[in-house]
């Protein structure tokens, strides 16, 4: 083992202490989720659960329709990801590799809308969805998010680097545009599709304001909506239930993050926050 | 040469026909996006602006022709509403306190990670980045538990003999508590951005400075920080867009309280919408949009210069 320079040793100490502090809330969540309600409010408080219980998780599975909420979150996220991968890459292809009337206008509108915060659209979105008669359905939760301008921009930027000569050669060989898109362009877009897919899944899984407004009956709650409403409603002080709910939302995304670390970090670095 | 270039060549009958064909194909490819985008993004953005000049309420949604155009009244109402002014102040404190803290912490983490640390690097990265990928609602629940009067934080403070306040029920401490959580959640994002910035500083520059006799502190102050300034500026602007819209934290942790001490602008808009005052909510959201767009434009400028 090599001797560490003092600066590096200080860095190790600081980083380790910092990492412990950073992970402490998650650890506290896991410990709390295994405690009984009495133990959570015990004085003096305990560190480790005295008699670990799965009762808090069981409550989600029995009384609280966890299956419905989890299913809603997953269905919405998967459909949103599929829609974005397909539609954003198609539009991105047109914007990157074709010359057409209205191209500059379309690109301009896409770029401008990237800046519009969600709070601006949600009132009219609510009215539109109500007019369409799909309030409180999966349509309301999924349709508005099937594409996003930032996804189109991401795919376009990536596709600009695909050599035109490759596509031209395929055209000369008589390949149709859909065939070129599915056989040549998409396979080359793996990294961009992975980034877009991960960011979209993350955004959908954690999305809150719109599902809160558009899915008003319990059968339409996604996990964050269910957790937030319980945390302000009748379960407001039932920390065992709330913490186990937090575990159930966070664990899948954290597992995905640990598995696909590099893609996550690159994705956020490419597109910025959100 | 490239296909696209040959298509923009001198206009001729064949070229014009080919371009028309390309236009048709391109719009076909863009169609699914354009339809959804127009319906659920462009139309709402325009409608929001339209609503903000009317007196639309929740009841009017069923009978849309009852709505009157009231010009700028909603904007005047929002701007003179003491609750809105209060919410703007709360948001300003959140942003102005949150950004420097997050930037400083992200910078410290990036510098530490960049100082030759090799072992456990992925562990550190996961640890500091984990909060970024989690649901704000879920972490708000956790932090509510930690910040409770008998919660973890006060338990730790008691170990060193400090009697902590009831963080979330105190008009003094509730907002700083939300800032604390935001810093915890977002420092990892800036760490990643700053790390990329640090790694793009040419080693030769550092070596030259060292050769001129600059010690580690001097190198940090005179070389690293000045070269990192654009990244720091970009990072600060980047998170400010999120901070300006903070909502879930106060929705789950404090319901905007105590005594509206954590009522954010988004919360105000959400409340106004909830009361059925759609036009006023639209006006409030457009006022937020103006601020956020201004910040975003700065971000775009910085991004373009950075790339």
């Amino acid at each position: 083992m090599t001797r560490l320079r003092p600066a590096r040793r200080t860095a190790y100490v600081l980083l380790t202490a910092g990492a412990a502090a950073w992970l402490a809330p998650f650890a506290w969540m896991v410990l709390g989720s295994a405690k009984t309600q009495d133990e959570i409010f015990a004085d003096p408080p305990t560190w480790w659960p005295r008699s670990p219980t799965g009762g808090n998780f069981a409550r989600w599975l029995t009384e609280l329709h966890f299956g419905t909420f989890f299913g809603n979150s997953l269905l919405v996220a998967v459909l949103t990801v599929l829609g974005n991968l397909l539609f954003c890459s198609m539009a991105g292809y047109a914007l990157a590799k074709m010359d057409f009337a209205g191209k500059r206008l379309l690109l301009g509108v896409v770029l401008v809308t990237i800046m519009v915060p969600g709070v601006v659209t949600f009132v009219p979105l609510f009215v539109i969805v109500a007019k369409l008669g799909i309030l409180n359905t999966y349509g309301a939760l999924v349709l508005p998010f099937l594409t996003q301008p930032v996804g189109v921009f991401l795919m376009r930027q990536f596709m600009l680097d695909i050599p035109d000569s490759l596509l031209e050669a395929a055209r000369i060989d008589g390949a149709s545009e859909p065939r070129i898109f599915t056989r040549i362009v998409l396979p080359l877009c793996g990294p961009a599709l992975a980034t877009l897919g991960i960011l979209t899944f993350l955004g959908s899984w954690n999305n809150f304001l719109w599902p809160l407004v558009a899915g008003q009956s319990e059968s339409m709650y996604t996990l964050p909506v269910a957790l937030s409403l319980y945390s302000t409603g009748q379960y407001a002080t039932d920390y065992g239930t709330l913490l186990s709910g937090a575990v159930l939302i966070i664990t899948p995304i954290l597992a995905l993050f640990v598995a696909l670390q590099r893609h996550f970090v690159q994705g956020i670095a490419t597109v910025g926050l959100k | 040469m490239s296909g696209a270039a040959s298509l923009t060549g001198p206009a001729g009958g064949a070229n014009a026909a080919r371009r028309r064909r390309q236009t048709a194909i391109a719009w076909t490819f863009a169609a699914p996006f354009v339809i959804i985008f127009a319906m659920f993004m462009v139309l709402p953005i325009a409608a929001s602006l339209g609503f903000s000049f009317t007196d639309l309420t929740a009841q009017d949604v069923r009978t849309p022709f009852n709505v009157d155009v009231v010009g700028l009244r909603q904007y005047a109402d929002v701007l003179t509403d003491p609750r809105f002014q209060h919410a703007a102040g709360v948001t300003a404190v959140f942003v102005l306190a949150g950004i420097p803290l997050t930037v400083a912490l992200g910078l410290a983490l990036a510098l530490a990670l960049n100082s030759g640390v090799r072992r456990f690097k992925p562990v550190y990265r996961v640890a500091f980045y984990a909060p970024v990928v989690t649901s704000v609602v879920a972490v708000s629940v956790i932090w509510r538990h930690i910040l409770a009067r008998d919660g973890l934080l006060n338990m730790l403070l008691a170990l060193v003999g400090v009697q902590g306040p009831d963080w979330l029920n105190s008009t003094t401490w509730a907002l700083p508590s939300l800032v604390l959580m935001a810093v915890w959640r977002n420092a990892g994002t800036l760490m990643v951005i700053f790390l990329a910035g640090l790694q793009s500083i040419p080693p030769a520059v550092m070596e030259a400075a060292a050769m001129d006799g600059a010690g580690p502190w001097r190198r940090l102050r005179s070389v690293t920080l000045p070269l990192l300034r654009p990244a720091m500026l970009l990072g600060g602007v980047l998170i400010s867009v999120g901070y300006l819209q903070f909502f879930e934290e106060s929705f789950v942790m404090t319901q905007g309280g105590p005594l509206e001490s954590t009522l954010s602008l988004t919360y105000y808009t959400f409340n106004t919408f909830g009361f059925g005052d759609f036009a006023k909510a639209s006006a409030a959201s457009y006022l937020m949009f103006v601020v956020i767009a201004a910040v975003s434009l700065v971000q775009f400028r910085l991004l373009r210069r950075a790339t």
Side-chain angles (χ1 to χ4, degrees):
Chain A
M1 205 179 275
T2 53
R3 259 186 326 128
L4 301 176
R5 298 199 345 263
R8 204 185 306 169
R9 198 172 337 161
T10 315
Y12 270 116
V13 171
L14 288 177
L15 284 171
T16 306
W22 242 239
L23 291 177
F26 293 118
W28 196 241
M29 162 186 82
V30 174
L31 291 174
S33 71
K35 289 176 185 170
T36 61
Q37 184 70 355
D38 286 345
E39 190 178 353
I40 284 177
F41 288 105
D43 189 24
T46 55
W47 290 102
W48 292 99
R50 274 194 298 265
S51 48
T53 167
N56 298 316
F57 291 98
R59 194 162 313 126
W60 280 94
L61 295 171
T62 53
E63 295 166 44
L64 297 181
H65 310 115
F66 173 73
T68 308
F69 309 143
F70 185 86
N72 287 345
S73 278
L74 195 63
L75 181 74
V76 169
V78 167
L79 290 176
T80 305
V81 168
L82 290 178
N84 274 276
L85 291 185
L86 184 63
F87 301 150
C88 292
S89 58
M90 285 168 69
Y93 177 52
L95 284 171
K97 291 295 168 196
M98 294 181 197
D99 181 42
F100 60 97
K103 179 175 171 172
R104 285 173 65 99
L105 176 71
L106 181 59
L107 189 60
V109 176
V110 166
L111 284 177
V112 169
T113 50
I114 288 177
M115 295 189 301
V116 178
V119 67
V120 167
T121 54
F122 93 86
V123 175
L125 209 49
F126 181 83
V127 175
I128 290 168
V129 163
K131 286 279 165 203
L132 289 174
I134 57 171
L135 206 59
N136 219 3
T137 66
Y138 289 118
L141 297 184
V142 173
L143 275 175
F145 297 99
L146 275 183
T147 67
Q148 51 187 333
V150 75
V152 173
F153 186 66
L154 177 82
M155 294 311 299
R156 171 191 177 265
Q157 292 305 96
F158 192 85
M159 288 175 185
L160 283 176
D161 291 337
I162 296 175
D164 285 324
S165 53
L166 202 62
L167 309 180
E168 206 53 26
R171 275 185 202 117
I172 290 166
D173 288 344
S176 65
E177 286 299 330
R179 197 177 161 82
I180 293 172
F181 177 69
T182 52
R183 295 296 162 86
I184 299 175
V185 176
L186 277 188
L188 287 173
C189 285
L193 291 170
T195 299
L196 179 59
I198 285 172
L199 288 180
T200 308
F201 190 88
L202 190 62
S204 179
W205 188 262
N206 293 338
N207 194 12
F208 178 64
L209 186 53
W210 177 250
L212 176 72
V213 169
Q216 293 163 325
S217 79
E218 215 173 344
S219 62
M220 280 296 135
Y221 289 173
T222 57
L223 279 172
V225 172
L227 185 65
S228 81
L229 293 182
Y230 289 151
S231 77
T232 53
Q234 54 174 325
Y235 295 91
T237 53
D238 184 351
Y239 278 107
T241 302
L242 296 176
L243 291 173
S244 59
V247 170
L248 292 170
I249 297 184
I250 287 176
T251 309
I253 210 83
L254 223 48
L256 205 64
F257 167 56
V258 172
L260 302 173
Q261 236 205 90
R262 185 172 304 170
H263 291 289
F264 266 82
V265 173
Q266 262 169 7
I268 308 253
T270 328
V271 184
L273 210 69
K274 304 213 156 184
Chain B
M1 268 293 286
S2 78
S6 67
L7 291 170
T8 52
N15 263 344
R18 192 167 169 200
R19 193 182 144 95
R20 264 203 303 279
R21 215 176 72 86
Q22 275 265 332
T23 297
I25 294 174
W27 282 104
T28 311
F29 265 90
F33 164 74
V34 169
I35 292 166
I36 296 166
F37 177 65
M39 182 134 189
F40 296 107
M41 191 92 197
V42 180
L43 179 62
I45 291 170
S48 196
L49 186 61
F51 290 177
S52 70
F53 297 117
T54 69
D55 61 359
L56 181 81
T57 64
Q59 284 79 34
D60 300 324
V61 171
R62 283 184 202 90
T63 53
F65 302 107
N66 270 347
V67 177
D68 287 327
V69 175
V70 300
L72 292 172
R73 200 191 76 200
Q74 299 295 350
Y75 288 93
D77 277 3
V78 171
L79 285 170
T80 54
D81 183 349
R83 277 190 86 226
F84 177 83
Q85 294 166 359
H86 174 72
V90 167
T91 305
V93 170
F94 186 83
V95 172
L96 293 177
I99 289 176
L101 287 173
T102 318
V103 168
L105 198 64
L107 183 64
L109 292 176
L111 285 171
L113 268 180
N114 200 47
S115 65
V117 163
R118 282 193 190 287
R119 269 174 294 161
F120 311 124
K121 213 166 173 175
V123 178
Y124 294 134
R125 210 166 51 181
V126 166
F128 292 116
Y129 205 72
V132 179
V133 302
T134 51
S135 147
V136 190
V137 174
V139 298
S140 297
V141 163
I142 303 170
W143 278 86
R144 221 178 78 196
H145 183 47
I146 290 174
L147 295 167
R149 195 154 45 83
D150 314 317
L152 178 65
L153 183 60
N154 282 349
M155 198 165 106
L156 294 174
L157 287 175
L159 291 180
V160 293
V162 176
Q163 162 80 55
D166 186 358
W167 300 93
L168 297 174
N169 285 316
S170 145
T171 48
T172 316
W173 290 107
L175 190 55
S177 301
L178 299 195
V179 172
L180 171 75
M181 192 184 97
V183 172
W184 170 79
R185 241 180 76 75
N186 293 295
T189 307
L190 292 188
M191 175 188 81
V192 169
I193 292 173
F194 296 161
L195 205 51
L198 284 173
Q199 280 159 1
S200 71
I201 295 177
V205 176
M206 280 296 163
E207 280 158 26
M211 227 124 73
D212 290 344
W217 280 113
R218 183 65 208 242
R219 287 202 298 273
L220 177 68
R221 225 158 43 85
S222 305
V223 182
T224 312
L225 290 183
L227 285 176
L228 212 55
R229 260 217 356 226
M232 282 162 62
L233 198 55
L234 176 65
V237 172
L238 204 61
I239 55 165
S240 64
V241 173
Y243 281 10
L244 280 166
Q245 300 178 69
F246 89 100
F247 167 67
E248 285 100 328
E249 296 89 340
S250 45
F251 186 84
V252 175
M253 290 168 79
T254 57
Q255 287 87 60
L259 296 175
E260 304 205 325
S261 60
T262 59
L263 185 84
S264 70
L265 282 174
T266 301
Y267 211 134
Y268 172 90
T269 308
F270 174 79
N271 261 353
T272 310
F273 166 80
F275 299 145
D277 210 338
F278 285 8
K280 199 174 172 192
S282 292
S285 73
Y286 253 85
L287 288 171
M288 277 183 73
F289 177 37
V290 171
V291 178
I292 290 167
V295 173
S296 299
L297 278 175
V298 175
Q299 180 187 329
F300 256 55
R301 280 268 164 82
L302 290 170
L303 259 179
R304 197 177 312 156
R305 205 186 310 158
T307 48

